[in-house]
Amino acid sequence: MAPKKPVAKKTKKAAPKKTVAKKAPVKKAAAKKPAAKKAAARVRTNSAFMVELQPSAQLAEVVGSKALPRTKVISLIWDYVKEQGLQDTKDKRLINLDDRLKAVYGNKKQIHMTEVSQAFKHLS
């Protein structure tokens, strides 16, 4: 018997690679020169929410009797709630009212944190 010739294996041709069109490089905008003089920052001192108002007697027990802007009243109410530990333990969005806060918010047991601003009714 005659020796068999090795058979060459057929190989598949690789698919030609797809060429991706290159995008033109993005040109950066020229940096703007800073203005020679900066305009003075405008300070708003007469905003309606910054006007100092006198709290009622009920609200004065919580925030004090001194005239305060609305933003400070809300801040002081939250400070009082945290000092007294009045936030509900299960849902921190609820505030358990004590006797002082019940005088401000009505005869409720709890209020939602979004209702804190209802204390503005006690400002004049």
Side-chain angles (χ1 to χ4, degrees):
M1 255 183 85
K4 292 185 178 181
K5 292 183 182 178
V7 179
K9 293 184 180 179
K10 293 182 181 179
T11 58
K12 293 184 179 181
K13 292 184 179 179
K17 292 184 179 180
K18 294 181 182 179
T19 57
V20 179
K22 292 184 179 180
K23 294 182 181 179
V26 178
K27 293 182 181 179
K28 293 182 180 178
K32 293 182 180 181
K33 293 181 181 178
K37 293 182 180 178
K38 291 186 178 181
R42 185 175 152 202
V43 178
R44 295 181 68 182
T45 57
N46 200 12
S47 297
F49 63 89
M50 293 303 292
V51 175
E52 292 186 354
L53 300 170
Q54 189 65 38
S56 67
Q58 296 91 355
L59 186 59
E61 290 183 25
V62 178
V63 298
S65 60
K66 184 178 168 186
L68 299 166
R70 295 176 192 184
T71 53
K72 188 67 175 175
V73 170
I74 295 297
S75 177
L76 290 173
I77 290 173
W78 273 109
D79 290 344
Y80 178 80
V81 166
K82 291 176 183 175
E83 282 176 9
Q84 301 297 321
L86 297 177
Q87 276 185 293
D88 191 53
T89 55
K90 293 180 183 175
D91 188 358
K92 296 286 186 180
R93 296 175 296 178
L94 297 176
I95 299 169
N96 300 319
L97 300 180
D98 64 355
D99 293 335
R100 288 181 177 178
L101 288 177
K102 280 184 182 178
V104 175
Y105 292 103
N107 239 355
K108 300 178 183 178
K109 290 183 179 179
Q110 288 182 330
I111 62 169
H112 194 267
M113 63 186 263
T114 57
E115 297 177 62
V116 171
S117 62
Q118 289 180 357
F120 293 157
K121 295 176 187 175
H122 292 272
L123 294 173
S124 57

